[in-house]
Amino acid sequence: MPNSRIPVISLDGPTASGKGTVAHRVAERLGFHYLDSGALYRLTALSALRLRTPLNDEHALARLAEGLNCSFSEEEVFLAGENVTQAIRAEEVGNTASRIATLPTVRQGLVALQLRFRAPPGLVADGRDMGTVVFPHAQLKVFLTASVETRAERRYKQLIGKGFSANMDDLLKDLTERDARDANRSVAPLKPADGAYMLDTSDMTADEAVEQVLGWYASARKNG
Ligand code: CDP
């Protein structure tokens, strides 16, 4: 199958909007591959923190991004063979990821890696710029949102569930800052792609959101 014919569903949205869960389940239901592009930014951030790469050294960071030696299996993420599934979820890593994601050379450094995830029978790509930059011809584009309070609550439960400590006020402040950084950066700012369906999941369960995305995809296939 030529690469351009391999279907892609892009799911973009702000931090803790539920994208990860929804994207994962949609991929499972369709038997598609799943790209967690945020994990690539987190892996780059983790490498930088470990190597003490200065966060203003754009070129060194870009080299780290381009040369990421990572692999994914089921729910696990590996960096140079080490299981870093837990390590990349720490808030410090998330915050660093969000900072280095503002650097154009870092973003560019991760493009080739992201494109490689497009493989038969299809891909569900989760991130901030999947529909706008990386897969602009995706068959279905969805932009997920949820109120900042809902997202902070979700993130709180997620962190506690993973054994990290968390504080609601810090999380709210952190989410608001991250939203601002994602939306205001000059390269690939977070915004709905042209033709994206908007999905506000504040009052929805993950299953309801999954059904909605699958419904849109079924219609897109019929019409496309
Ligand atoms: O868990 P959370 O939604 O906060 O973040 P993530 O999806 O794991 O991504 C970590 C960071 O990478 C985000 O805060 C974004 O700033 C950045 N990112 C990005 O710029 N572009 C993407 N396609 C994915 C993530």
Side-chain angles (χ1 to χ4, degrees):
M1 196 190 296
N3 200 270
S4 59
R5 300 280 302 278
I6 301 170
V8 176
I9 299 175
S10 65
L11 277 174
D12 290 307
T15 190
S17 55
K19 281 171 304 157
T21 311
V22 174
H24 215 269
R25 292 194 198 169
V26 169
E28 229 167 46
R29 289 275 294 273
L30 295 170
F32 281 13
H33 299 278
Y34 167 57
L35 164 61
D36 175 3
S37 61
L40 303 180
Y41 287 90
R42 286 172 179 268
L43 284 165
T44 309
L46 181 67
S47 303
L49 288 168
R50 286 183 170 178
L51 296 168
R52 300 188 195 285
T53 309
L55 299 184
N56 57 2
D57 188 343
E58 189 166 345
H59 294 287
L61 293 168
R63 276 198 300 277
L64 280 183
E66 268 164 37
L68 270 189
N69 174 9
C70 60
S71 57
F72 293 80
S73 81
E74 300 285 314
E75 312 257 300
E76 307 201 304
V77 189
F78 297 84
L79 183 63
E82 178 193 344
N83 189 333
V84 293
T85 317
Q86 277 275 92
I88 61 164
R89 294 294 143 202
E91 279 299 280
E92 185 194 11
V93 177
N95 280 327
T96 306
S98 138
R99 281 169 199 277
I100 63 174
T102 60
L103 303 171
T105 51
V106 169
R107 307 199 67 84
Q108 190 52 40
L110 289 174
V111 168
L113 185 54
Q114 296 178 76
L115 294 177
R116 282 211 292 277
F117 280 80
R118 187 176 196 175
L123 174 68
V124 179
D126 154 1
R128 302 290 193 285
D129 60 344
M130 297 296 97
T132 48
V133 176
V134 183
F135 300 106
H137 303 296
Q139 276 69 11
L140 172 68
K141 299 179 185 183
V142 179
F143 193 83
L144 255 89
T145 53
S147 69
V148 72
E149 290 78 14
T150 308
R151 293 189 283 127
E153 246 166 65
R154 285 180 187 162
R155 177 50 54 90
Y156 182 84
K157 286 190 192 143
Q158 201 181 41
L159 285 169
I160 298 291
K162 287 189 171 152
F164 291 108
S165 61
N167 169 299
M168 209 45 190
D169 289 340
D170 289 348
L171 281 177
L172 267 172
K173 184 167 156 278
D174 208 57
L175 283 189
T176 313
E177 277 172 17
R178 234 191 264 194
D179 282 355
R181 234 184 344 248
D182 279 345
N184 297 326
R185 69 182 171 219
S186 55
V187 203
L190 175 67
K191 60 169 190 207
D194 285 343
Y197 287 87
M198 305 296 288
L199 187 59
D200 185 335
T201 65
S202 302
D203 299 314
M204 270 181 148
T205 64
D207 281 334
E208 286 167 341
V210 169
E211 291 309 325
Q212 177 64 82
V213 173
L214 288 171
W216 281 331
Y217 183 59
S219 315
R221 283 185 54 182
K222 236 187 270 158
N223 301 328

